[in-house]
Amino acid sequence: MYNLDIATIAVIAANIMVSLKGFNDTYFFDRYKFSIGAIKSGQKERMLTSGFLHVDIAHLFFNMFTLYFFADVVIGWFGQGKFIIIYFISLLAGSLLALLFHKDEPYYSAVGASGAVTGILYSAILLQPNDSLYLMFIPIPIPAYVLGIGYLLYSIYGMKSRLGNIGHTAHFGGAVGGYLITLIFMPSLLGTDTLMVILLAIPIILLFVLAKLGKLN
């Protein structure tokens, strides 16, 4: 774990280059960020391009640092090609869920690779659910699946309460994308790790039940 594969380097480099351009060019940033109004008017490319823009260096660093820690797990299981597929599908899944949940908010906008990175994180957790992870300031190992479930439950709370200036919806959508594509690439997990597959699906099912009941508004 924690190797810098060429595929990871390429993704990080793309994020850095596009983000640096956005830092120094307000028109470029505004033209390619996720914006409900612009997307509904026909600029669908924003659903992809927004995933390579970031608000500032700290935002960029956190996303790329997280990617660095989990990318190697996914590449180790699936190889570079499928890693890239999971990354981009998770990015688009995050944008699609954000579009679905905020479709009536024309001024809603967002940027960042968080959806794609969360998809890679959730894929890695599904592949190695019993790995021990450490959170900053908490010196106690936490099973990966507990972190994954807890993170999505927090995202649901964040979506409902509009907590902070964070794209919780994109995070959640990215996780759903990573989860589903991982199962498509490795359906044997349904038999070998049935309990984990079910546990990690609980927050996803909960979100759509709450949405159907109108409890997220």
Side-chain angles (χ1 to χ4, degrees), residues 45-148:
E45 71 278 2
R46 289 173 180 260
M47 297 180 70
L48 177 65
T49 58
S50 60
F52 290 89
L53 290 167
H54 290 81
V55 173
D56 52 32
I57 290 292
H59 186 206
L60 173 64
F61 174 79
F62 181 78
N63 274 334
M64 295 304 99
F65 189 65
T66 304
L67 179 66
Y68 162 72
F69 273 107
F70 292 96
D72 197 50
V73 173
V74 178
I75 293 171
W77 280 84
F78 290 137
Q80 298 170 342
K82 289 182 177 178
F83 161 76
I84 294 295
I85 290 171
I86 293 172
Y87 185 90
F88 276 96
I89 288 182
S90 297
L91 192 166
L92 291 173
S95 292
L96 283 169
L97 194 67
L99 182 62
L100 175 65
F101 273 78
H102 301 286
K103 63 182 183 297
D104 297 322
E105 303 171 46
Y107 297 106
Y108 179 89
S109 63
V111 294
S114 301
V117 172
T118 305
I120 294 297
L121 181 152
Y122 218 66
S123 175
I125 289 174
L126 185 57
L127 291 166
Q128 298 181 186
N130 292 309
D131 278 3
S132 293
L133 303 175
Y134 290 84
L135 294 179
M136 195 176 299
F137 307 123
I138 303 178
I140 302 172
I142 301 173
Y145 74 91
V146 173
L147 176 64

Side-chain angles (χ1 to χ4, degrees), residues 2-216:
Y2 312 149
N3 294 321
L4 261 179
D5 186 272
I6 186 64
T8 309
I9 293 172
V11 170
I12 291 175
N15 274 277
I16 291 173
M17 288 189 292
V18 176
S19 292
L20 289 177
K21 172 68 173 174
F23 294 160
N24 298 299
D25 187 335
T26 303
Y27 173 80
F28 179 86
F29 184 90
D30 289 338
R31 173 59 184 83
Y32 293 107
K33 70 182 180 181
F34 182 94
S35 170
I36 293 291
I39 291 170
K40 291 178 75 172
S41 71
Q43 295 177 0
K44 301 292 192 291
E45 71 278 2
R46 289 173 180 260
M47 297 180 70
L48 177 65
T49 58
S50 60
F52 290 89
L53 290 167
H54 290 81
V55 173
D56 52 32
I57 290 292
H59 186 206
L60 173 64
F61 174 79
F62 181 78
N63 274 334
M64 295 304 99
F65 189 65
T66 304
L67 179 66
Y68 162 72
F69 273 107
F70 292 96
D72 197 50
V73 173
V74 178
I75 293 171
W77 280 84
F78 290 137
Q80 298 170 342
K82 289 182 177 178
F83 161 76
I84 294 295
I85 290 171
I86 293 172
Y87 185 90
F88 276 96
I89 288 182
S90 297
L91 192 166
L92 291 173
S95 292
L96 283 169
L97 194 67
L99 182 62
L100 175 65
F101 273 78
H102 301 286
K103 63 182 183 297
D104 297 322
E105 303 171 46
Y107 297 106
Y108 179 89
S109 63
V111 294
S114 301
V117 172
T118 305
I120 294 297
L121 181 152
Y122 218 66
S123 175
I125 289 174
L126 185 57
L127 291 166
Q128 298 181 186
N130 292 309
D131 278 3
S132 293
L133 303 175
Y134 290 84
L135 294 179
M136 195 176 299
F137 307 123
I138 303 178
I140 302 172
I142 301 173
Y145 74 91
V146 173
L147 176 64
I149 294 169
Y151 182 77
L152 288 198
L153 291 176
Y154 170 75
S155 293
I156 292 175
Y157 172 72
M159 291 164 65
K160 181 174 176 58
S161 63
R162 302 298 179 101
L163 186 66
N165 188 27
I166 300 171
H168 295 285
T169 314
H171 294 186
F172 202 103
V176 173
Y179 175 86
L180 292 177
I181 297 303
T182 299
L183 289 177
I184 289 172
F185 285 159
M186 188 170 287
S188 60
L189 289 171
L190 292 166
T192 59
D193 284 297
T194 308
L195 178 59
M196 288 302 170
V197 170
I198 293 172
L199 287 175
L200 289 168
I202 289 173
I204 297 171
I205 296 169
L206 177 62
L207 173 74
F208 289 103
V209 169
L210 291 174
K212 185 70 174 177
L213 295 174
K215 300 295 186 180
L216 292 178

